[in-house]
Amino acid sequence: VHTLAAVAPISFQRGLPAPECLPVDELAECARAAILEHGRTILNYGPAGGFAPLRERIAADYGVVAGRIFVTNGSLQALSLLAGVLVEPGARVLVEGPTYDRALHILARVGAQAVPIPVDDEGLDVEALERELSSPAAFLYTIPTFQNPSGNTTSLSRRRRLAELARERRILVLEDDPYRHVRFDGDDLPSLYELTGGEGVVHSSSFSKIVAPGIRVASLVAPEELVKKLEALAAQTYLAPSFVPQATIFEFLRRGHLDASLTRVRDALRPRRDAMLEALERELGDRAEWSRPQGGYFLWLDLRDDVDARELAPRAEAAGVAVIPGADFFPGGGAGTSSLRLAYSFVATDEIAEGVARLAAAIAAGAPRAAAV
Ligand SMILES: Cc1ncc(COP(=O)(O)O)c(C=O)c1O
């Protein structure tokens, strides 16, 4: 243990893009151009729903009117406002188990009862969903593509079934989709929004994972009446979003920088995903199972049932590798007790190998000893 005391820490905790993903020069130029061109508008207060040219551009991509687009300071803010508008205290909200931990915190804050529906390597278990739909729910929160935290993607057949169920049972679906374009292999799948023609599905998208999280620009497409309610709550909460980042992103898109940015992110993250899969095979091949994401920022590691991930996490951190215990991603910490979420998005590939080796050592150090003979 004493040899580990001085090691530089490696963190698999947070879904940050690797530093080389960030288009620093392009964003600097776009920000300057945006302020020079739109300064009188974007440096003032303005519409709570976002910078009009960006709304129009996003609306054109979806083929809807701009009044259906709501642009926020990051998609978590949109989720928070949506929860504020849609959830009465005590209402059920269906979520994936596991799901994004910050979404669970938001739901808890508005007094929702989050009901987990299992996720496997084909994504959301639609039969379990159907059973849960026998009682009313405010909405279903799902991350169908490269899910945070599992890395799993809901298959096309399950997406079709989910779209049918949403229509038949009239359940509103919030499709949180920040990772769709961070695909390393396999084919792009239609979103639930696309499969339903947008009927009953609110689709949330973000520039955080494909351009830069610090720019804090995300958008959702929703029915116009819902967007009006969100705008009213936004105006009460923060008057208006930050327009300089929105105008900067607008300029970034207008200059055609997005494709290069997507390629840069994929090229930066694919070898990291590969490095983590290889290291897991090498270090934990006979002791654990894990997801094999085709894209996104995270994977999910299932350890043997006798490993307590909440006990392991601080020991791993002391040994120089930080991870998040799986229970954090279930309502009330009710499952995932022998699992971990690992983010491969930030750490350099050689450090990924080292981090997984440290994790394996921490797991081995805590494993129950075989009975002495
Ligand atoms: C599923 C999901 N939704 C939302 C967010 C938050 O993104 P944003 O930076 O757009 O607020 C994240 C970030 O990790 C995420 O994984």
Side-chain angles (χ1 to χ4, degrees), residues 14-16 72-79 99-100 102-103 141-143 145-149 176-179 204-209 212-214 216-219 297-298 341:
R14 295 196 59 202
L16 310 178
T72 50
N73 305 306
S75 58
L76 199 64
Q77 183 168 62
L79 178 61
T99 190
Y100 182 34
R102 291 183 201 270
Y141 173 68
T142 175
I143 310 160
T145 308
F146 313 136
Q147 199 230 19
N148 179 2
D176 192 2
D177 205 11
Y179 301 105
S204 173
S205 191
S206 174
F207 291 98
S208 288
K209 310 294 176 165
R216 309 305 299 136
V217 180
S219 64
Y297 279 45
F298 307 100
R341 184 190 74 176

Side-chain angles (χ1 to χ4, degrees), residues 12 279-280 282-288 301 303 312 315-316 319 321 323 340 342 352-367:
F12 297 141
L280 287 169
R282 193 165 53 239
E283 303 287 347
L284 288 168
D286 53 353
R287 270 185 286 170
L301 180 64
L303 300 165
L312 169 65
R315 271 194 309 106
V321 60
V323 292
L340 301 172
L342 304 182
I352 287 177
E354 171 62 23
V356 173
R358 289 179 192 171
L359 181 62
I363 293 166

Side-chain angles (χ1 to χ4, degrees), residues 15-370:
L16 310 178
E20 67 266 32
C21 294
L22 304 174
V24 175
D25 293 337
E26 292 88 335
L27 285 174
E29 284 163 22
C30 291
R32 181 177 166 77
I35 293 176
L36 289 175
E37 185 177 344
H38 302 285
R40 294 252 146 77
T41 329
I42 64 177
L43 296 174
N44 219 321
Y45 293 119
F51 179 57
L54 181 62
R55 284 179 97 172
E56 277 153 26
R57 184 171 180 125
I58 295 171
D61 288 344
Y62 281 107
V64 300
V65 295
R68 292 191 52 191
I69 305 297
F70 181 57
V71 188
T72 50
N73 305 306
S75 58
L76 199 64
Q77 183 168 62
L79 178 61
S80 176
L81 294 170
L82 262 176
V85 165
L86 295 174
V87 177
E88 298 292 337
R92 295 164 81 239
V93 173
L94 308 180
V95 300
E96 291 160 327
T99 190
Y100 182 34
D101 52 345
R102 291 183 201 270
L104 289 176
H105 295 308
I106 287 173
L107 292 174
R109 201 185 64 223
V110 297
Q113 185 204 337
V115 179
I117 317 265
V119 174
D120 60 25
D121 54 9
E122 273 196 69
L124 184 73
D125 178 342
V126 280
E127 283 174 20
L129 170 67
E130 190 169 2
R131 287 192 293 277
E132 287 299 343
L133 286 175
S134 51
S135 320
F139 62 94
L140 163 71
Y141 173 68
T142 175
I143 310 160
T145 308
F146 313 136
Q147 199 230 19
N148 179 2
S150 70
N152 289 336
T153 292
T154 300
S155 64
L156 182 57
S157 58
R158 287 200 188 171
R159 283 173 196 239
R160 291 213 167 102
R161 182 70 191 126
L162 211 166
E164 261 170 32
L165 278 175
R167 194 171 39 241
E168 286 165 11
R169 305 295 192 88
R170 301 187 154 275
I171 171 92
L172 178 69
V173 177
L174 170 54
E175 178 176 31
D176 192 2
D177 205 11
Y179 301 105
R180 175 175 184 175
H181 300 293
V182 189
R183 179 177 276 283
F184 317 134
D185 15 75
D187 295 325
D188 183 45
L189 291 173
S191 64
L192 299 169
Y193 178 88
E194 287 159 357
L195 287 174
T196 54
E199 192 96 353
V201 178
V202 172
H203 185 256
S204 173
S205 191
S206 174
F207 291 98
S208 288
K209 310 294 176 165
I210 53 174
V211 179
I215 201 91
R216 309 305 299 136
V217 180
S219 64
L220 56 78
V221 56
E224 234 169 325
E225 323 81 78
L226 182 53
V227 170
K228 288 212 172 74
K229 288 184 192 160
L230 294 168
E231 284 170 351
L233 184 54
Q236 286 166 18
T237 312
Y238 52 82
L239 292 177
S242 295
F243 295 112
V244 174
Q246 295 189 9
T248 302
I249 284 289
F250 176 70
E251 187 61 23
F252 189 88
L253 298 175
R254 184 161 71 176
R255 292 185 183 197
H257 286 323
L258 186 62
D259 281 349
S261 189
L262 292 175
T263 304
R264 192 162 39 232
V265 173
R266 291 177 192 134
D267 288 352
L269 267 55
R270 184 187 298 106
R272 289 174 161 85
R273 189 262 330 245
D274 292 342
M276 189 167 272
L277 291 176
E278 280 159 26
L280 287 169
E281 194 61 57
R282 193 165 53 239
E283 303 287 347
L284 288 168
D286 53 353
R287 270 185 286 170
E289 288 175 16
W290 53 89
S291 61
R292 290 175 171 74
Q294 293 191 310
Y297 279 45
F298 307 100
L299 65 76
W300 185 256
L301 180 64
D302 282 317
L303 300 165
R304 277 193 327 228
D305 289 347
D306 59 2
V307 176
D308 174 353
R310 283 232 157 108
E311 180 275 330
L312 169 65
R315 271 194 309 106
E317 190 156 3
V321 60
V323 292
I324 304 201
D328 286 15
F329 303 94
F330 288 86
T337 51
S338 298
S339 305
L340 301 172
R341 184 190 74 176
L342 304 182
Y344 51 75
S345 53
F346 183 78
V347 175
T349 49
D350 54 338
E351 294 203 323
I352 287 177
E354 171 62 23
V356 173
R358 289 179 192 171
L359 181 62
I363 293 166
R369 287 163 196 279

